[in-house]
Amino acid sequence: MPRRAKRYATRAGFASYATSAALVLALAGTVTGCTGSSGGEDDKDGKPGGASASSSAAAPGKYDSLPEPCGTVGTSRLRDMLPGAAAAEDESGEENTAAPSTGPDPLEGEASATYDTDRSVGCRWKSATTLGTRHLSVQFERVVSYDPSVSDDEQAERLYGEKARKAGISGTPGPASGGPDPGKTPDGHASPTAGDGPDSSADPDSSADPDKATDAPPSPTAEEDVAPRALEDIGDAAYLDDALHTADSGLHRDITLVFRTANVIATVEYDQWVTDKHRIPDSHELQKKARELAAQLAGRFEKD
């Protein structure tokens, strides 16, 4: 072979070898990159993964799912809290004052719309009588922290604190000291009303509530402050808000009870509307029933 041709062949060989070596190195880098990213997949809550994140991340929350909301309240308790719904099932009873129903069974409840049943669920019930209407709803929110240095429980505690502050609730458990006078209703918030005196039977649904007396767990008395306040013995923290509204077309009292257990925040909303504005809904009765339900729900979580 001529010397010039041999020189060109040698150069072509070196060029081919260099190209092959570069290709091998590029492929090796790609494989290494893919292998290194395989451990960085997010968990089901979308939290950032990877070895560096997991080594310093706070512990996950106690709960990773939520209960089916419409099944968390038993039939007997619904009958107690929604007398009109109970009366609707027994049309032959002489105490039946239920308004005609055209919808589904009021004791079954209606689930709230949600995009992720592991993060937020709820259910609501309604009962109507010729004397008024009652609504009940329960909502559960599972809190997830996306800050590796903050646990789910800590994030839930922060969110609960924000809710309590917006409601004007003192951070000290038990009845708020120095709170509103029980005989007044500043800013629409309720305290003992006409239902506490001799006319307590004015509650339009009281005849359908046989368990209103003494065999139930302790409830607020006429001497106890029933103003909005923090509560003890329900979850890790709890508060209750009570507001009487008289400016609407119908007079109504709204009870909101919020409690936190680990990384779940639960909200119980219970209200009573009356058509006769001389019959003020009884704060003691509504608070008592809301507290009993909240205690039951908190106990359900603690057993899980």
Short mmCIF file of all heavy atoms in Angstrom, two decimals, residues 166-218:
data_model
loop_
_atom_site.label_atom_id
_atom_site.label_comp_id
_atom_site.label_asym_id
_atom_site.label_seq_id
_atom_site.Cartn_x
_atom_site.Cartn_y
_atom_site.Cartn_z
N LYS A 166 -58.59 32.78 64.19
CA LYS A 166 -59.60 33.46 63.37
C LYS A 166 -60.96 33.44 64.05
O LYS A 166 -61.76 34.35 63.86
CB LYS A 166 -59.68 32.78 62.00
CG LYS A 166 -58.49 33.05 61.10
CD LYS A 166 -58.65 32.36 59.76
CE LYS A 166 -57.45 32.65 58.86
NZ LYS A 166 -57.56 31.96 57.55
N ALA A 167 -61.23 32.39 64.83
CA ALA A 167 -62.49 32.30 65.55
C ALA A 167 -62.47 33.09 66.85
O ALA A 167 -63.48 33.16 67.56
CB ALA A 167 -62.84 30.84 65.82
N GLY A 168 -61.31 33.67 67.19
CA GLY A 168 -61.20 34.45 68.42
C GLY A 168 -61.17 33.59 69.67
O GLY A 168 -61.64 34.00 70.73
N ILE A 169 -60.61 32.38 69.55
CA ILE A 169 -60.59 31.44 70.67
C ILE A 169 -59.30 31.58 71.46
O ILE A 169 -58.21 31.66 70.90
CB ILE A 169 -60.73 29.99 70.16
CG1 ILE A 169 -61.96 29.85 69.29
CG2 ILE A 169 -60.76 29.00 71.31
CD1 ILE A 169 -63.26 30.16 69.99
N SER A 170 -59.42 31.57 72.79
CA SER A 170 -58.25 31.59 73.65
C SER A 170 -57.51 30.27 73.52
O SER A 170 -58.11 29.22 73.32
CB SER A 170 -58.69 31.80 75.11
OG SER A 170 -57.61 31.58 75.98
N GLY A 171 -56.18 30.32 73.66
CA GLY A 171 -55.39 29.11 73.54
C GLY A 171 -55.41 28.25 74.78
O GLY A 171 -54.90 27.13 74.77
N THR A 172 -55.98 28.73 75.87
CA THR A 172 -56.01 27.96 77.11
C THR A 172 -57.20 27.02 77.12
O THR A 172 -58.32 27.45 76.90
CB THR A 172 -56.12 28.89 78.33
OG1 THR A 172 -55.04 29.83 78.29
CG2 THR A 172 -56.06 28.09 79.62
N PRO A 173 -56.99 25.69 77.36
CA PRO A 173 -58.12 24.76 77.39
C PRO A 173 -59.13 25.15 78.45
O PRO A 173 -58.80 25.79 79.45
CB PRO A 173 -57.46 23.41 77.72
CG PRO A 173 -56.04 23.58 77.31
CD PRO A 173 -55.71 25.02 77.58
N GLY A 174 -60.35 24.73 78.24
CA GLY A 174 -61.42 25.00 79.19
C GLY A 174 -62.07 26.33 78.88
O GLY A 174 -61.67 27.06 77.97
N PRO A 175 -63.09 26.71 79.65
CA PRO A 175 -63.79 27.97 79.43
C PRO A 175 -62.83 29.14 79.48
O PRO A 175 -61.98 29.23 80.36
CB PRO A 175 -64.81 28.03 80.58
CG PRO A 175 -65.01 26.60 80.98
CD PRO A 175 -63.68 25.93 80.75
N ALA A 176 -62.95 30.04 78.54
CA ALA A 176 -62.04 31.18 78.46
C ALA A 176 -62.29 32.13 79.62
O ALA A 176 -63.40 32.59 79.84
CB ALA A 176 -62.24 31.91 77.13
N SER A 177 -61.23 32.40 80.39
CA SER A 177 -61.38 33.32 81.51
C SER A 177 -61.52 34.73 80.99
O SER A 177 -60.92 35.11 80.00
CB SER A 177 -60.15 33.22 82.42
OG SER A 177 -58.98 33.56 81.70
N GLY A 178 -62.32 35.51 81.71
CA GLY A 178 -62.53 36.89 81.29
C GLY A 178 -63.28 37.01 80.00
O GLY A 178 -63.20 38.03 79.33
N GLY A 179 -64.02 35.96 79.60
CA GLY A 179 -64.76 35.98 78.35
C GLY A 179 -66.01 36.80 78.48
O GLY A 179 -66.27 37.46 79.48
N PRO A 180 -66.85 36.75 77.43
CA PRO A 180 -68.07 37.54 77.44
C PRO A 180 -68.99 37.15 78.58
O PRO A 180 -69.02 36.01 79.02
CB PRO A 180 -68.70 37.19 76.07
CG PRO A 180 -67.57 36.67 75.24
CD PRO A 180 -66.64 36.02 76.21
N ASP A 181 -69.76 38.10 79.06
CA ASP A 181 -70.74 37.84 80.10
C ASP A 181 -71.76 36.84 79.58
O ASP A 181 -72.27 36.99 78.48
CB ASP A 181 -71.44 39.15 80.46
CG ASP A 181 -72.34 39.00 81.67
OD1 ASP A 181 -73.26 38.15 81.61
OD2 ASP A 181 -72.14 39.73 82.64
N PRO A 182 -72.08 35.77 80.35
CA PRO A 182 -73.01 34.76 79.85
C PRO A 182 -74.36 35.34 79.46
O PRO A 182 -75.10 34.74 78.71
CB PRO A 182 -73.14 33.78 81.03
CG PRO A 182 -71.88 33.96 81.81
CD PRO A 182 -71.51 35.40 81.66
N GLY A 183 -74.72 36.49 79.98
CA GLY A 183 -76.02 37.05 79.66
C GLY A 183 -76.01 37.92 78.42
O GLY A 183 -77.04 38.50 78.08
N LYS A 184 -74.84 38.02 77.74
CA LYS A 184 -74.74 38.90 76.59
C LYS A 184 -74.37 38.09 75.36
O LYS A 184 -73.89 36.96 75.45
CB LYS A 184 -73.68 39.98 76.83
CG LYS A 184 -74.01 40.89 78.02
CD LYS A 184 -72.91 41.93 78.20
CE LYS A 184 -73.21 42.83 79.41
NZ LYS A 184 -72.15 43.82 79.63
N THR A 185 -74.57 38.68 74.20
CA THR A 185 -74.19 38.03 72.94
C THR A 185 -73.41 39.01 72.08
O THR A 185 -73.87 39.45 71.04
CB THR A 185 -75.44 37.56 72.18
OG1 THR A 185 -76.31 38.69 71.99
CG2 THR A 185 -76.17 36.48 72.94
N PRO A 186 -72.19 39.38 72.50
CA PRO A 186 -71.39 40.33 71.71
C PRO A 186 -71.01 39.72 70.38
O PRO A 186 -70.68 38.55 70.29
CB PRO A 186 -70.15 40.56 72.59
CG PRO A 186 -70.05 39.33 73.42
CD PRO A 186 -71.46 38.90 73.68
N ASP A 187 -71.05 40.52 69.33
CA ASP A 187 -70.65 40.11 67.98
C ASP A 187 -71.44 38.90 67.50
O ASP A 187 -70.94 38.10 66.72
CB ASP A 187 -69.14 39.78 67.94
CG ASP A 187 -68.31 40.97 68.34
OD1 ASP A 187 -68.71 42.10 68.02
OD2 ASP A 187 -67.27 40.77 69.00
N GLY A 188 -72.64 38.75 68.01
CA GLY A 188 -73.47 37.65 67.55
C GLY A 188 -73.17 36.33 68.21
O GLY A 188 -73.85 35.34 67.97
N HIS A 189 -72.15 36.25 69.07
CA HIS A 189 -71.81 35.00 69.72
C HIS A 189 -72.77 34.75 70.88
O HIS A 189 -73.18 35.67 71.57
CB HIS A 189 -70.37 35.00 70.22
CG HIS A 189 -69.39 34.89 69.11
ND1 HIS A 189 -68.72 35.99 68.62
CD2 HIS A 189 -68.99 33.84 68.37
CE1 HIS A 189 -67.93 35.61 67.63
NE2 HIS A 189 -68.08 34.32 67.44
N ALA A 190 -73.04 33.46 71.07
CA ALA A 190 -74.13 33.13 71.97
C ALA A 190 -73.66 32.83 73.37
O ALA A 190 -72.53 32.49 73.62
CB ALA A 190 -74.87 31.93 71.43
N SER A 191 -74.59 32.98 74.28
CA SER A 191 -74.45 32.59 75.67
C SER A 191 -75.82 32.10 76.11
O SER A 191 -76.73 32.05 75.29
CB SER A 191 -73.98 33.80 76.48
OG SER A 191 -74.84 34.88 76.26
N PRO A 192 -76.03 31.71 77.35
CA PRO A 192 -77.33 31.17 77.75
C PRO A 192 -78.47 32.09 77.33
O PRO A 192 -78.39 33.30 77.44
CB PRO A 192 -77.21 31.06 79.27
CG PRO A 192 -75.76 30.86 79.49
CD PRO A 192 -75.06 31.69 78.44
N THR A 193 -79.54 31.48 76.84
CA THR A 193 -80.65 32.25 76.31
C THR A 193 -81.92 31.87 77.02
O THR A 193 -81.91 31.22 78.06
CB THR A 193 -80.80 31.97 74.81
OG1 THR A 193 -81.10 30.58 74.65
CG2 THR A 193 -79.52 32.29 74.06
N ALA A 194 -83.03 32.22 76.38
CA ALA A 194 -84.32 31.96 76.99
C ALA A 194 -84.52 30.49 77.28
O ALA A 194 -85.30 30.11 78.13
CB ALA A 194 -85.43 32.46 76.06
N GLY A 195 -83.81 29.62 76.56
CA GLY A 195 -83.96 28.19 76.77
C GLY A 195 -83.44 27.74 78.11
O GLY A 195 -83.66 26.60 78.50
N ASP A 196 -82.72 28.60 78.86
CA ASP A 196 -82.15 28.18 80.13
C ASP A 196 -83.14 28.33 81.28
O ASP A 196 -82.92 27.80 82.36
CB ASP A 196 -80.92 29.03 80.46
CG ASP A 196 -79.89 28.92 79.36
OD1 ASP A 196 -79.74 27.83 78.81
OD2 ASP A 196 -79.28 29.95 79.06
N GLY A 197 -84.19 29.10 81.09
CA GLY A 197 -85.11 29.40 82.18
C GLY A 197 -86.32 28.49 82.17
O GLY A 197 -86.31 27.41 81.61
N PRO A 198 -87.40 28.94 82.80
CA PRO A 198 -88.60 28.13 82.89
C PRO A 198 -89.17 27.78 81.53
O PRO A 198 -89.91 26.83 81.41
CB PRO A 198 -89.57 29.03 83.68
CG PRO A 198 -88.69 30.00 84.42
CD PRO A 198 -87.52 30.21 83.53
N ASP A 199 -88.85 28.55 80.48
CA ASP A 199 -89.40 28.30 79.17
C ASP A 199 -88.50 27.43 78.33
O ASP A 199 -88.52 27.51 77.10
CB ASP A 199 -89.65 29.63 78.44
CG ASP A 199 -90.72 30.45 79.13
OD1 ASP A 199 -91.63 29.84 79.72
OD2 ASP A 199 -90.61 31.68 79.08
N SER A 200 -87.64 26.61 78.96
CA SER A 200 -86.71 25.79 78.19
C SER A 200 -87.44 24.84 77.27
O SER A 200 -86.90 24.34 76.29
CB SER A 200 -85.79 25.00 79.13
OG SER A 200 -86.56 24.16 79.97
N SER A 201 -88.69 24.52 77.57
CA SER A 201 -89.45 23.63 76.70
C SER A 201 -89.80 24.29 75.39
O SER A 201 -90.37 23.67 74.50
CB SER A 201 -90.74 23.20 77.41
OG SER A 201 -91.53 24.34 77.71
N ALA A 202 -89.44 25.57 75.24
CA ALA A 202 -89.75 26.27 74.00
C ALA A 202 -88.97 25.73 72.83
O ALA A 202 -89.27 26.05 71.69
CB ALA A 202 -89.47 27.77 74.16
N ASP A 203 -87.92 24.94 73.08
CA ASP A 203 -87.20 24.32 71.97
C ASP A 203 -88.19 23.50 71.17
O ASP A 203 -88.77 22.55 71.68
CB ASP A 203 -86.09 23.42 72.54
CG ASP A 203 -85.34 22.69 71.44
OD1 ASP A 203 -85.60 22.99 70.26
OD2 ASP A 203 -84.51 21.85 71.79
N PRO A 204 -88.41 23.80 69.90
CA PRO A 204 -89.45 23.14 69.14
C PRO A 204 -89.24 21.65 68.98
O PRO A 204 -90.18 20.92 68.70
CB PRO A 204 -89.39 23.85 67.77
CG PRO A 204 -88.04 24.45 67.71
CD PRO A 204 -87.70 24.81 69.12
N ASP A 205 -87.98 21.17 69.16
CA ASP A 205 -87.73 19.75 68.95
C ASP A 205 -87.54 18.99 70.25
O ASP A 205 -87.18 17.83 70.24
CB ASP A 205 -86.49 19.56 68.07
CG ASP A 205 -86.70 20.17 66.70
OD1 ASP A 205 -87.82 20.08 66.16
OD2 ASP A 205 -85.74 20.77 66.20
N SER A 206 -87.72 19.64 71.39
CA SER A 206 -87.37 19.01 72.66
C SER A 206 -88.20 17.77 72.92
O SER A 206 -87.74 16.83 73.57
CB SER A 206 -87.54 20.02 73.80
OG SER A 206 -88.88 20.46 73.87
N SER A 207 -89.45 17.71 72.45
CA SER A 207 -90.29 16.55 72.71
C SER A 207 -89.77 15.31 72.01
O SER A 207 -90.10 14.20 72.38
CB SER A 207 -91.72 16.83 72.24
OG SER A 207 -91.73 17.10 70.85
N ALA A 208 -88.93 15.50 70.98
CA ALA A 208 -88.39 14.36 70.26
C ALA A 208 -87.03 13.96 70.77
O ALA A 208 -86.35 13.17 70.14
CB ALA A 208 -88.31 14.70 68.76
N ASP A 209 -86.60 14.50 71.90
CA ASP A 209 -85.27 14.24 72.43
C ASP A 209 -85.39 13.69 73.84
O ASP A 209 -85.20 14.41 74.81
CB ASP A 209 -84.46 15.55 72.42
CG ASP A 209 -83.03 15.33 72.88
OD1 ASP A 209 -82.63 14.16 73.00
OD2 ASP A 209 -82.34 16.33 73.12
N PRO A 210 -85.70 12.39 74.00
CA PRO A 210 -85.91 11.83 75.32
C PRO A 210 -84.66 11.74 76.16
O PRO A 210 -84.72 11.57 77.38
CB PRO A 210 -86.46 10.43 75.01
CG PRO A 210 -85.91 10.10 73.67
CD PRO A 210 -85.86 11.40 72.93
N ASP A 211 -83.47 11.83 75.53
CA ASP A 211 -82.22 11.67 76.28
C ASP A 211 -81.65 13.00 76.72
O ASP A 211 -80.47 13.11 77.01
CB ASP A 211 -81.19 10.94 75.40
CG ASP A 211 -81.66 9.55 75.04
OD1 ASP A 211 -82.32 8.91 75.90
OD2 ASP A 211 -81.37 9.12 73.92
N LYS A 212 -82.48 14.01 76.77
CA LYS A 212 -81.99 15.36 77.06
C LYS A 212 -81.60 15.54 78.52
O LYS A 212 -80.98 16.51 78.90
CB LYS A 212 -83.09 16.36 76.68
CG LYS A 212 -82.63 17.79 76.57
CD LYS A 212 -83.76 18.64 76.04
CE LYS A 212 -83.31 20.09 75.93
NZ LYS A 212 -84.36 20.96 75.41
N ALA A 213 -81.93 14.58 79.39
CA ALA A 213 -81.75 14.77 80.81
C ALA A 213 -80.41 14.28 81.30
O ALA A 213 -79.39 14.53 80.71
CB ALA A 213 -82.89 14.11 81.57
N THR A 214 -80.40 13.50 82.39
CA THR A 214 -79.20 13.38 83.20
C THR A 214 -78.31 12.19 82.88
O THR A 214 -77.19 12.16 83.34
CB THR A 214 -79.62 13.25 84.67
OG1 THR A 214 -80.51 12.14 84.80
CG2 THR A 214 -80.33 14.50 85.13
N ASP A 215 -78.77 11.20 82.12
CA ASP A 215 -77.94 10.01 81.95
C ASP A 215 -76.88 10.20 80.88
O ASP A 215 -76.11 9.30 80.63
CB ASP A 215 -78.81 8.80 81.61
CG ASP A 215 -79.68 9.05 80.39
OD1 ASP A 215 -79.82 10.23 80.02
OD2 ASP A 215 -80.20 8.08 79.84
N ALA A 216 -76.83 11.33 80.22
CA ALA A 216 -75.81 11.60 79.21
C ALA A 216 -74.55 12.14 79.89
O ALA A 216 -74.57 12.49 81.07
CB ALA A 216 -76.33 12.61 78.21
N PRO A 217 -73.40 12.19 79.16
CA PRO A 217 -72.18 12.76 79.73
C PRO A 217 -72.41 14.20 80.16
O PRO A 217 -73.34 14.87 79.71
CB PRO A 217 -71.20 12.70 78.54
CG PRO A 217 -71.70 11.58 77.72
CD PRO A 217 -73.20 11.61 77.85
N PRO A 218 -71.57 14.70 81.08
CA PRO A 218 -71.77 16.06 81.62
C PRO A 218 -71.88 17.09 80.51
O PRO A 218 -71.17 17.03 79.52
CB PRO A 218 -70.50 16.29 82.46
CG PRO A 218 -70.04 14.92 82.80
CD PRO A 218 -70.40 14.05 81.65
#
